[in-house]
């Protein structure tokens, strides 16, 4: 049966998550399908940022380190994030960029598996993870080697030479979801450690790090978690590794007694050893607002709606935009899909620009992927209908085929 816009408004009316949409600011008329790249702004973030600036910084100044709990903020945010990813409160800490946490986690893991030289990574992964590990290997100069394996090659690549796997749970481009439990289990059978990158899964779907016996994990807060542009990342270290996993960027925030100001380094025995130095407090504080919203939402409902939004988007693309050479790259099987839909098209770049011009925000990933992220807390079913409707008009009229849509900016 062919779907109509009415079907989508009915779905919205029955959506158990519909109340959350009002907690986010979105410009009038915009359909925002890029929350997998930069999450929308929670309305309360603005007030929180002003409070930190005016009161905590302006009025209370240095006193705020104690009075406002600035020093413990990285732990408090960690404890909140832990609830979303199947971790204990004291296994997660916030700080630095994702790439830096990849560096720290892989360095710690290699140290724990001294003698083993192989690191499994996905070559098509978001490149910063690979770049950071390439830099680390060069710096260590101990003959480590990356074994690149794509999603269907990872299991076979695992053997007793592997020190660590550093792989991403949901692929940034295709949206493919890997089997965290099976991969982690096989890695452990061969004595390897596993680090999962959760950039496209934290806040997008239920994650169960301890249920899967994961060793370490990293993730960012500015995508699905709506932490704000450039907000800090987080790192998870399983409790059994505390005191054994020691990262090498041994700044004072990772010292056993930072305010003893000792000459020599002594590592903390908990996840705070993965801290390095003073963090950007305004950004940290603002990102807490996004986390607090998630703690009130049911992650199973988020997953249910996310799958349905993506299913409907795919169905509408196929029903209403056929004949335009679109190919759905994202797996259809729910078991191996994250919360985005990737479509390949040789004209992907100008089509995305024309869509943005029509106030439907997606993004383009070279060489030919149009990427649409679905964030169930603020994307509605009607948005899905309207987005495809606007895409259909652009395709049927050929209006994407204009020079103004072919100019490439510095960020795509
Ligand atoms: C977005 C993303 C990052 C971001 O890295 P930063 O160092 O925080 O800029 C890293 N890894 C993956 C897989 C990502 O999707």
């Amino acid at each position: 049966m062919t779907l109509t816009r009415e079907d989508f408004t009915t779905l919205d009316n029955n959506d158990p998550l519909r109340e959350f949409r009002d907690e986010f600011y979105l410009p009038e008329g915009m359909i925002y399908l890029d929350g997998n790249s930069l999450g929308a702004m929670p309305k309360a973030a603005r007030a929180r940022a002003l409070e930190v600036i005016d009161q905590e910084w302006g009025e209370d100044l240095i006193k705020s380190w104690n009075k406002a709990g600035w020093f413990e903020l990285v732990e408090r945010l960690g404890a909140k994030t832990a609830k979303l990813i199947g971790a204990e409160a004291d296994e997660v800490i916030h700080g630095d960029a994702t790439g830096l946490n990849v560096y720290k986690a892989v360095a710690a893991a290699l140290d724990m598996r001294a003698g083993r030289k192989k690191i499994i990574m996905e070559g098509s992964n978001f490149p910063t993870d690979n770049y950071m590990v390439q830099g680390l290997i060069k710096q260590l100069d101990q003959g480590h080697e990356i074994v690149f394996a794509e999603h269907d090659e990872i299991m076979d690549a695992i053997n007793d030479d592997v020190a660590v796997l550093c792989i991403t749970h949901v692929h940034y481009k295709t949206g493919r979801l890997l089997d965290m439990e099976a991969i982690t289990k096989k890695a452990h059978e061969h004595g390897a450690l596993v680090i999962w990158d959760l950039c496209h899964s934290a806040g997008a779907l239920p994650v169960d790090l301890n249920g899967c016996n994961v060793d370490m994990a990293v993730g960012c807060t500015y995508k699905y978690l709506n932490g704000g542009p450039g907000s800090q990342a987080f790192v998870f270290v399983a409790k059994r590794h505390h005191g054994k996993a020691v990262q090498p960027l041994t700044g004072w925030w990772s010292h056993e007694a930072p305010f003893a100001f000792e000459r020599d380094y002594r590592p903390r025995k908990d996840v705070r050893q993965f801290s390095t130095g003073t963090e950007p407090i305004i950004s940290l504080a603002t990102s807490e607002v996004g986390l607090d919203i998630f703690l009130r939402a049911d992650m199973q409902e988020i997953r249910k709606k996310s799958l349905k939004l993506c299913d409907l988007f795919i169905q509408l693309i196929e029903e209403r935009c056929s004949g335009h050479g679109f190919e759905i790259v994202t797996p259809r099987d729910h078991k191996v899909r994250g919360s985005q839909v990737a479509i390949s098209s040789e004209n992907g770049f100008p089509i995305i620009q024309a869509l943005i011009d029509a106030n439907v925000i997606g993004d383009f990933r070279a060489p030919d992927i149009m990427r649409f992220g679905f964030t169930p807390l603020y994307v509605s079913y009607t948005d899905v209908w309207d987005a495809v409707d606007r895409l259909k008009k652009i395709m049927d009229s050929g209006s994407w085929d204009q020079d103004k849509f072919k100019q490439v900016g510095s960020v795509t």
Side-chain angles (χ1 to χ4, degrees):
M1 207 180 67
T2 316
L3 295 165
T4 64
R5 190 171 194 271
E6 212 149 87
D7 297 322
F8 289 75
T9 49
T10 306
L11 284 167
D12 281 329
N13 292 335
N14 297 318
D15 174 10
L17 296 173
R18 70 184 177 284
E19 309 277 306
F20 284 99
R21 186 175 169 91
D22 195 44
E23 299 201 27
F24 294 88
Y25 173 77
L26 282 171
E28 191 63 37
M30 180 186 283
I31 298 174
Y32 193 66
L33 305 181
D34 218 353
N36 54 335
S37 201
L38 174 63
M41 185 183 82
K43 288 176 183 166
R46 192 170 181 277
R48 180 68 185 117
L50 287 175
E51 182 184 34
V52 184
I53 290 171
D54 291 341
Q55 182 62 43
E56 297 180 12
W57 182 17
E59 297 293 332
D60 296 336
L61 284 152
I62 196 79
K63 290 184 283 182
S64 286
W65 282 105
N66 285 319
K67 194 176 162 196
W70 282 354
F71 193 65
E72 289 77 28
L73 192 50
V74 289
E75 295 166 23
R76 190 166 88 218
L77 296 177
K80 290 184 176 184
T81 307
K83 293 189 179 148
L84 304 175
I85 56 176
E88 296 290 320
D90 56 356
E91 292 178 311
V92 182
I93 192 149
H94 277 236
D96 296 323
T98 312
L100 265 163
N101 287 314
V102 165
Y103 178 94
K104 289 186 273 189
V106 174
L110 291 179
D111 190 50
M112 291 167 77
R113 289 294 177 273
R116 294 187 177 212
K117 299 297 180 197
K118 296 206 188 311
I119 303 160
I120 295 179
M121 303 190 76
E122 207 173 1
S124 65
N125 189 15
F126 187 83
T128 203
D129 298 31
N130 298 344
Y131 298 164
M132 292 304 286
V133 174
Q134 285 166 346
L136 171 65
I137 287 174
K138 185 156 180 266
Q139 188 181 36
L140 288 174
D141 197 19
Q142 293 171 12
H144 289 106
E145 179 196 341
I146 299 180
V147 178
F148 286 117
E150 291 304 307
H151 66 90
D152 52 350
E153 300 165 341
I154 292 171
M155 287 296 262
D156 287 341
I158 300 171
N159 59 42
D160 290 356
D161 298 331
V162 176
V164 56
L165 289 82
C166 179
I167 43 183
T168 297
H169 194 203
V170 175
H171 196 279
Y172 80 107
K173 221 191 263 187
T174 65
R176 177 179 289 277
L177 169 68
L178 296 181
D179 188 340
M180 178 180 277
E181 188 170 17
I183 292 173
T184 307
K185 184 164 179 283
K186 178 155 188 199
H188 288 168
E189 283 164 9
H190 288 272
L193 296 166
V194 189
I195 299 162
W196 286 95
D197 185 328
L198 305 178
C199 277
H200 289 272
S201 33
L205 49 114
V207 176
D208 191 6
L209 292 177
N210 282 330
C212 297
N213 217 9
V214 168
D215 299 291
M216 288 181 255
V218 301
C220 69
T221 59
Y222 52 78
K223 292 173 182 163
Y224 289 93
L225 293 173
N226 311 304
S231 60
Q232 76 293 337
F234 62 85
V235 55
F236 156 89
V237 182
K239 210 169 287 176
R240 64 185 177 281
H241 297 315
H242 289 189
K244 298 181 197 114
V246 180
Q247 63 86 13
L249 302 180
T250 45
W252 72 303
W253 276 39
S254 74
H255 192 279
E256 180 79 340
F259 287 93
F261 299 110
E262 297 169 6
R263 189 194 68 179
D264 294 323
Y265 186 70
R266 285 191 293 130
R268 290 242 336 192
K269 303 287 189 299
D270 57 17
V271 74
R272 197 158 180 141
Q273 202 279 321
F274 276 66
S275 243
T276 300
T278 310
E279 291 287 336
I281 297 297
I282 299 169
S283 185
L284 241 62
T286 311
S287 75
E288 188 167 19
V289 176
L291 288 175
D292 284 339
I293 295 176
F294 270 96
L295 295 182
R296 286 186 278 110
D298 179 343
M299 193 55 88
Q300 300 298 335
E301 287 295 342
I302 290 177
R303 177 63 170 162
K304 241 165 60 190
K305 182 174 172 188
S306 144
L307 289 169
K308 186 140 187 130
L309 290 167
C310 293
D311 279 343
L312 289 165
F313 184 74
I314 291 171
Q315 186 182 342
L316 286 181
I317 291 282
E318 293 189 326
E319 275 180 18
R320 307 193 69 214
C321 298
S322 61
H324 293 297
F326 291 162
E327 190 196 328
I328 310 285
V329 172
T330 301
R332 282 150 208 266
D333 183 355
H334 290 181
K335 287 202 295 295
V336 291
R337 192 209 298 168
S339 196
Q340 67 170 60
V341 176
I343 303 173
S344 78
S345 162
E346 58 172 334
N347 299 310
F349 186 79
I351 293 170
I352 283 288
Q353 305 317 309
L355 263 176
I356 293 171
D357 193 55
N359 230 352
V360 178
I361 315 296
D363 60 23
F364 175 78
R365 287 291 173 265
D368 64 351
I369 298 289
M370 304 192 289
R371 200 173 65 145
F372 302 95
F374 292 87
T375 45
L377 294 184
Y378 55 83
V379 170
S380 69
Y381 291 100
T382 314
D383 285 339
V384 170
W385 174 273
D386 290 342
V388 178
D389 201 52
R390 290 184 207 175
L391 176 60
K392 178 177 164 54
K393 290 199 174 87
I394 286 166
M395 297 315 297
D396 290 350
S397 68
S399 69
W400 60 270
D401 193 5
Q402 299 178 55
D403 282 347
K404 67 172 177 179
F405 295 139
K406 294 175 186 172
Q407 260 121 48
V408 184
S410 59
V411 177
T412 59

